[in-house]
């Protein structure tokens, strides 16, 4: 790409491209826009970091605190009571970088603060799907934690460039260099320091900027209690050798992404600040490099420099590849970022606002969205009008007249929309790739307390399911109970609480139930015939299949291997649909079947009596027959558990894990604490966090993430089958 000159540096953007894509009316040019997410493990400090960013950028005039329930982005009652983030909140601010190519130019930064708890991982998933960059926050003591790995994989999945913020450098046991090594080994990232900390724990007093070769001092100044003006100083003499060592490592790492830098590095020439900044930016956007930055959001140290990193190193919408989609024929179509093109964008979240009604969170990828525009939905093949447009300020809203390419806004007025829908111009046929969501792992029954509550319950569930793609609702056919399925105990607890507070539904919930799965252990044959003759035209369908185990995690694969027209082409699809329906309920305890390859190998038909319905039923019968012969087994969800505890409670907690049929995977000591990694069946983890607090006098904590499915021990199989034959345990 060609370069745009600025008074101080060269920026990686194409000059002609920039002028061609910007509308003359847009308030912020595209190259001055950053769409970023703040993502991390629970309690790493995401919301506090976001709060400090908003304060220092002038978006708010008073710093909120998580422990006081006064933060801007944690606005739900449940968030403020529990001190955790539950729903991703979008908010905008503007930042004037203290140095670099955009010094003196306010950049618009659209931020989404995401949850850290595994039960709300869908919020992270859909946020990362529409963001151009991310700040991954890590605890300086704990390093890479289980949910850190989850959000990192999600960012890799959606190809989101990111920088790493090592937060809580003021805590006892903080170790910046160990955290970098943790990121390299556990996340397999090419991580290198952009700044070095001066001191740690209570002696964390400053930062060294390796790109500029300067230091910043955060001395506690009574005249500046909010840390508004950290002073620029010379690098301390005792740190000069270390700063040179890590700057050389940084130059060597980024020279792989910049030919000019590589040539100068190899020839031993001096590399300028401008050239190194450009190299770091290129490397970050390539997804092959992660810059690491230390700080303490709570103690107000380093947040301004973090904002400089966001502006200087993370991409604008024109620095990332165009979003791809498909037209009605399945051909790949690109949504190239351009204000002057036809509109296309993604509805990535739905929210019911008590004052406005349904809000559709929308990322504009190309074109402009003016208020009142008719939006076409390729999924429904219908057009709906956008009555209002708002920019979100967490729970607050700002009315706007038009949204431009690269903007994240909320649309009011469109009704028939679900998460992941594309909304576009009617003559721009494109369906953008929607975010994907994990399957629920836990379910519970819910019973309304009165007839009036019954009616309100239906409305509440309809709205909550529309908002949350990981929440499922169904009616148990045997008991008539309403079953809620979600990502964990806390997820379902929050849903029940929201029904009571927001929708005034009084209901009684049953004990959470496990979403078991079934699979097969060996190959087998199966045959299904559906024959009905009751005078006149009858029904005839005949399907022969082979089943065999599939690789773990591969799901169900159905293949047509018939030859010679034994089943006519028009009946293959109904047969496949029947087999797929058959996999919804296995033969062991009626749970969904996973990880099997099913091949349709033969069958027969009747020229008069065969129909689609007959072959659908024959497919169901064939699958049930084959599965009975394939040594069917029941699988239970296994969770990855990471327990952090003082060493004196290590034995008690390991014994507790063993009592829960857990398997210890490993242990390590970090900063005076013992970290135990284990695999434990979900069935035995209800109330686990409360139990380990009791065992450790409140000093231990645990992170729980979905891991895999394993066969249920034979000693427990009969009990599980009997229990689920009586009650609504199925998912």
């Amino acid at each position: 790409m060609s370069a745009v000159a600025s008074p101080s540096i060269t920026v990686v953007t194409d000059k002609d491209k920039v002028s061609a894509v910007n509308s003359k009316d847009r308030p912020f040019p595209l190259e001055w826009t950053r769409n970023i997410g703040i993502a991390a493990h629970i309690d790493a400090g995401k919301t506090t970091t976001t709060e400090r960013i908003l304060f220092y950028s002038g978006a708010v005039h008073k710093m909120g605190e998580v422990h006081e329930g006064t933060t801007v982005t944690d606005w739900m009652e449940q968030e403020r009571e529990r001190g955790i983030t539950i729903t991703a909140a979008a908010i905008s601010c503007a930042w004037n970088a203290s140095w670099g190519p955009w010094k003196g130019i306010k950049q618009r930064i659209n931020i989404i603060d995401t949850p850290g708890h595994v039960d709300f991982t869908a919020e992270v998933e859909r946020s990362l799907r529409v963001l151009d960059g991310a700040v991954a926050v890590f605890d300086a003591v704990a390093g890479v934690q289980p949910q850190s790995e989850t959000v990192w994989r999600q960012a890799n999945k959606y190809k989101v460039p990111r920088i790493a913020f090592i937060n809580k450098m003021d805590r006892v046991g903080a170790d910046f260099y160990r955290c970098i090594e943790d990121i390299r080994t556990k996340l397999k990232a090419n991580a290198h320091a952009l700044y070095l900390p001066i001191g740690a724990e209570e002696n964390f007093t400053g930062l060294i900027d390796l790109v500029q070769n300067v230091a910043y001092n955060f001395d506690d100044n009574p005249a500046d209690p909010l840390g508004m003006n950290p002073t620029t100083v010379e690098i301390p003499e005792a740190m000069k050798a270390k700063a040179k060592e890590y700057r050389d490592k940084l130059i060597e790492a980024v020279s792989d992404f910049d030919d000019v830098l590589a040539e100068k590095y190899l020839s031993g020439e001096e590399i300028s600040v401008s050239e190194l900044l450009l190299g770091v930016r290129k490397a970050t956007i390539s997804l092959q490099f992660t810059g690491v930055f230390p700080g303490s959001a709570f103690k107000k140290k380093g947040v301004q420099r973090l904002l400089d990193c966001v502006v200087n190193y993370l991409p604008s919408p024109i620095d990332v590849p165009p979003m791809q989609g498909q037209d009605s024929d399945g051909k790949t179509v690109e949504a190239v970022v351009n204000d002057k093109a036809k509109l296309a964008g993604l509805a990535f979240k739905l929210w019911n606002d008590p004052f406005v009604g349904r809000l559709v969170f929308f990322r504009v990828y190309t074109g402009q969205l003016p208020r009142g525009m008719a939006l076409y939905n390729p999924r429904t093949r219908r057009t709906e009008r956008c009555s209002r447009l708002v920019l979100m300020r967490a729970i607050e809203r700002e009315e706007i007249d038009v949204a431009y390419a690269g903007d994240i806004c909320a649309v009011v007025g469109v009704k028939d929309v679900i998460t992941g829908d594309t909304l576009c111009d009617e003559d721009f046929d494109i369906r953008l790739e929607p975010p994907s969501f994990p399957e629920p792992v836990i379910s519970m029954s819910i019973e309304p307390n009165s007839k009036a509550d019954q009616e309100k319950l239906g409305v509440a569930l309809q709205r909550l399911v529309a908002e949350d793609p990981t929440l499922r609702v169904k009616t148990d056919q045997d008991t008539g109970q309403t079953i809620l399925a979600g990502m964990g105990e806390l997820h379902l607890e929050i849903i029940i609480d929201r029904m009571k507070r927001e929708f005034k539904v009084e209901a009684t919930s049953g004990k959470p139930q496990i979403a078991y799965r079934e699979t097969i252990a060996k190959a087998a044959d199966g045959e299904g015939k559906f024959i009905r003759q009751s005078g006149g035209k009858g029904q005839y369908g005949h399907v022969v299949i082979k089943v065999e185990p599939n690789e773990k995690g591969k799901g169900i694969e159905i293949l047509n291997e018939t030859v010679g027209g034994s089943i006519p082409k028009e009946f293959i699809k109904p047969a496949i649909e029947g087999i797929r329906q058959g996999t919804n309920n296995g033969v062991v305890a009626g749970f969904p079947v996973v990880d099997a390859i099913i091949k349709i190998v033969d069958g027969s038909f009747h020229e008069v009596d065969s129909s689609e319905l007959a072959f659908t039923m024959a497919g169901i019968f064939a699958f049930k027959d084959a599965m009975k012969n394939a040594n069917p087994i029941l699988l239970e969800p296994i969770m990855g558990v990471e327990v952090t505890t003082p060493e004196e409670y290590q034995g008690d907690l390991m014994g507790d894990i063993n009592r829960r049929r857990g398997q210890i995977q490993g242990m390590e000591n970090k900063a005076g604490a013992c970290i135990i990694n284990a695999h434990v069946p979900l069935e035995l983890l209800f109330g686990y966090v409360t139990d380990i607090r009791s065992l450790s006098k409140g000093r231990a904590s645990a992170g729980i993430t979905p891991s895999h499915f394993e066969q249920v021990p034979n000693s427990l199989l009969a009990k599980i089958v009997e229990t689920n034959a009586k009650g609504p345990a199925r998912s």
Side-chain angles (χ1 to χ4, degrees):
M1 288 193 291
S2 62
V4 173
S6 84
S8 57
I9 207 163
T10 302
V11 187
V12 186
T13 45
D14 187 308
K15 189 171 184 177
D16 297 327
K17 181 179 172 184
V18 168
S19 61
V21 301
N22 281 303
S23 163
K24 61 181 174 56
D25 300 318
R26 82 156 36 240
F28 282 86
L30 265 165
E31 66 274 22
W32 296 3
T33 302
R34 303 289 181 274
N35 292 316
I36 67 163
I38 313 288
H41 185 89
I42 191 169
D43 204 31
K46 297 176 302 302
T47 301
T48 301
T49 301
T50 305
E51 196 70 21
R52 300 297 185 261
I53 287 173
L54 296 177
F55 176 79
Y56 288 121
S57 64
V60 299
H61 302 294
K62 185 179 182 225
M63 290 187 194
E65 303 292 353
V66 172
H67 59 275
E68 294 174 358
T70 55
T71 58
V72 174
T73 52
D74 281 357
W75 55 267
M76 292 174 65
E77 291 179 33
Q78 293 89 344
E79 291 176 316
R80 293 184 169 178
E81 288 172 358
R82 290 169 168 80
I84 62 170
T85 302
I86 292 169
T87 182
I91 194 163
S92 297
C93 64
W95 180 248
N96 188 343
S98 65
W99 70 285
W102 293 282
K103 182 179 179 180
I105 304 172
K106 278 200 171 184
Q107 309 287 300
R108 173 188 251 170
I109 303 176
N110 299 317
I111 303 170
I112 297 183
D113 176 29
T114 64
H117 198 288
V118 65
D119 283 17
F120 311 107
T121 189
E123 291 289 308
V124 187
E125 186 87 20
R126 58 180 165 195
S127 299
L128 288 173
R129 171 63 182 79
V130 298
L131 293 170
D132 303 319
V135 177
V137 183
F138 299 88
D139 185 312
V141 179
V144 175
Q145 297 170 277
Q147 190 65 3
S148 310
E149 298 184 55
T150 303
V151 299
W152 198 268
R153 284 195 301 270
Q154 289 170 314
N156 286 339
K157 174 180 174 182
Y158 294 115
K159 297 181 171 58
V160 179
R162 71 218 74 144
I163 54 177
F165 178 46
I166 309 300
N167 191 26
K168 304 190 179 184
M169 282 297 300
D170 58 297
R171 279 187 63 196
V172 174
D175 190 331
F176 176 70
Y177 304 99
R178 190 191 64 231
C179 285
I180 292 181
E181 196 54 41
D182 232 12
I183 292 171
R184 289 174 181 165
T185 54
K186 291 183 179 178
L187 304 179
K188 305 295 184 283
N190 182 20
H192 291 271
L194 295 175
Y195 288 71
L196 295 183
I198 300 174
E201 302 177 353
E202 72 272 13
N203 297 317
F204 176 51
T205 58
L207 296 173
I208 297 172
D209 183 341
L210 297 178
V211 176
Q212 292 190 93
N213 243 342
V214 298
Y216 295 95
N217 191 352
F218 301 118
D219 281 343
D220 294 326
N221 184 353
D224 185 24
L226 298 178
M228 299 295 289
N229 300 299
T231 52
T232 305
V233 296
E234 284 286 321
I235 296 174
E237 197 63 39
M239 293 284 295
K240 281 186 176 177
K242 195 163 204 172
K244 184 180 185 310
E245 175 195 347
Y246 276 85
R247 189 172 198 266
D248 289 344
K249 288 179 180 178
L250 176 63
I251 293 170
E252 182 180 359
V254 300
S255 62
D256 291 338
F257 306 92
D258 190 303
D259 294 339
V260 174
L261 208 64
E263 193 174 323
K264 284 196 168 188
Y265 173 71
L266 292 172
S267 59
E269 293 181 49
E270 185 65 29
I271 291 169
S272 70
V273 171
S274 301
E275 289 166 333
L276 184 51
L277 182 148
L278 186 60
V280 172
R281 182 175 175 81
K282 280 183 176 179
T284 303
I285 294 172
S286 76
L287 299 168
Q288 303 301 313
F289 172 89
T290 304
V292 188
F293 180 96
S296 171
F298 182 64
K299 291 294 178 69
K300 313 179 220 11
K301 295 181 178 181
V303 177
Q304 293 104 320
R305 302 293 75 83
L306 175 62
L307 278 164
D308 287 347
C309 288
V310 167
V311 168
N312 287 332
Y313 303 132
L314 290 180
S316 71
I318 57 176
D319 293 320
V320 294
M323 189 54 60
Q324 293 190 335
Q326 292 186 329
D327 63 15
S328 54
D329 297 326
K331 294 177 183 174
T332 299
V333 183
E334 287 189 340
V336 179
V337 179
N338 191 336
D339 286 342
K340 301 163 188 176
K342 290 185 171 69
L343 173 75
L346 192 74
F348 66 95
K349 177 174 175 172
L350 275 59
W351 189 260
N352 286 290
D353 187 286
F355 304 105
V356 178
R358 171 179 276 197
L359 289 171
V360 177
F361 285 67
F362 188 65
R363 164 68 192 264
V364 184
Y365 281 105
T366 186
Q368 297 181 41
L369 172 56
R371 185 175 56 189
M373 179 180 178
L375 295 170
Y376 177 67
N377 186 335
R379 179 183 62 85
T380 62
R381 302 289 176 191
R382 291 178 58 195
T383 299
E384 294 187 78
R385 192 164 298 280
C386 157
S387 60
R388 292 168 65 189
L389 271 178
V390 293
L391 284 181
M392 296 306 297
R393 302 274 187 265
I395 189 59
E396 303 295 328
R397 299 164 302 280
E398 176 191 330
E399 296 274 348
I400 57 173
D401 293 324
V402 60
Y404 298 92
D407 282 353
I408 294 174
C409 62
V411 178
V412 181
V414 289
K415 304 295 183 190
D416 193 8
V417 174
I418 61 173
T419 299
D421 273 354
T422 300
L423 300 176
C424 56
D425 270 316
E426 193 161 5
D427 54 352
F428 185 22
D429 188 6
I430 184 171
R431 286 190 73 173
L432 300 169
E433 179 194 351
S436 56
F437 300 104
E439 290 295 314
V441 296
I442 189 170
S443 61
M444 66 165 59
S445 62
I446 180 165
E447 294 282 348
N449 290 353
S450 68
K451 179 95 173 175
D453 287 320
Q454 175 80 51
E455 294 171 4
K456 289 189 285 186
L457 178 66
V459 174
L461 291 177
Q462 184 180 8
R463 290 189 182 176
L464 291 168
V465 168
E467 287 178 12
D468 188 345
T470 58
L471 180 67
R472 308 286 167 80
V473 178
K474 71 172 186 177
T475 302
D476 187 271
Q477 299 300 322
D478 299 325
T479 65
Q481 287 179 304
T482 300
I483 307 298
L484 281 180
M487 298 304 299
E489 275 186 284
L490 181 60
H491 184 202
L492 295 180
E493 183 185 324
I494 295 293
I495 292 296
I496 299 294
D497 193 40
R498 285 189 62 194
M499 283 197 295
K500 288 181 180 176
R501 296 196 196 195
E502 295 175 32
F503 300 96
K504 312 301 181 199
V505 177
E506 292 297 328
T508 304
S509 55
K511 181 186 174 184
Q513 303 290 333
I514 307 299
Y516 293 96
R517 296 289 183 264
E518 297 183 24
T519 192
I520 56 175
K522 68 175 186 178
D525 298 331
E527 183 176 11
K529 280 188 177 182
F530 183 74
I531 303 173
R532 293 288 184 274
Q533 194 69 49
S534 56
K537 187 175 184 299
Q539 296 282 356
Y540 182 89
H542 176 212
V543 176
V544 179
I545 65 170
K546 289 182 180 292
V547 297
E548 57 190 65
N550 203 352
E551 291 179 40
K552 273 189 178 181
K554 288 283 188 179
I556 297 292
E557 295 180 38
I558 304 175
L559 308 173
N560 174 26
E561 295 190 355
T562 57
V563 292
S566 56
I567 299 177
K569 185 179 178 182
E570 64 267 26
F571 295 135
I572 293 294
K573 191 173 179 181
I576 290 174
E577 178 58 30
I579 292 168
R580 199 168 293 282
Q581 287 182 29
T583 64
N584 292 334
N585 302 97
V587 298
V588 180
F591 290 100
V593 180
V594 296
D595 301 337
I597 299 173
I598 304 147
K599 300 173 182 177
I600 304 175
V601 295
D602 201 2
S604 62
F605 70 101
H606 189 281
E607 289 186 359
V608 176
D609 291 350
S610 286
S611 66
E612 291 187 0
L613 172 63
F615 272 92
T616 300
M617 296 303 298
I620 295 173
F621 296 159
F623 177 76
K624 299 292 186 189
D625 183 51
M627 192 169 177
K628 288 175 184 174
N629 303 323
N631 192 10
I633 56 177
L634 189 66
L635 304 174
E636 63 180 343
I638 305 296
M639 309 300 281
V641 178
E642 183 180 277
V643 183
T644 304
T645 175
E647 291 183 3
E648 60 260 41
Y649 302 110
Q650 175 184 335
D652 291 341
L653 292 177
M654 288 176 65
D656 182 63
I657 288 171
N658 289 329
R659 283 191 293 276
R660 297 173 190 267
R661 291 197 286 123
Q663 296 180 336
I664 307 292
Q665 302 297 307
M667 289 181 293
E668 62 176 315
N669 290 309
K670 190 183 285 186
C674 177
I675 297 175
I676 306 167
N677 285 289
H679 286 156
V680 184
L682 175 62
E683 181 199 10
L684 297 166
L685 282 177
F686 296 134
Y688 180 65
V689 173
T690 304
D691 292 346
I692 64 166
R693 284 175 183 161
S694 300
L695 287 170
S696 64
K697 298 181 181 176
R699 295 175 64 191
S701 61
I704 302 172
T705 53
S707 177
H708 60 284
F709 281 85
E710 277 186 10
Q711 184 174 354
V712 171
N714 289 331
S715 57
L716 300 174
L717 183 60
K719 180 183 174 184
I720 292 170
V721 171
E722 181 184 352
T723 301
N724 288 287
K726 293 176 182 176
R730 299 173 187 176
S731 171

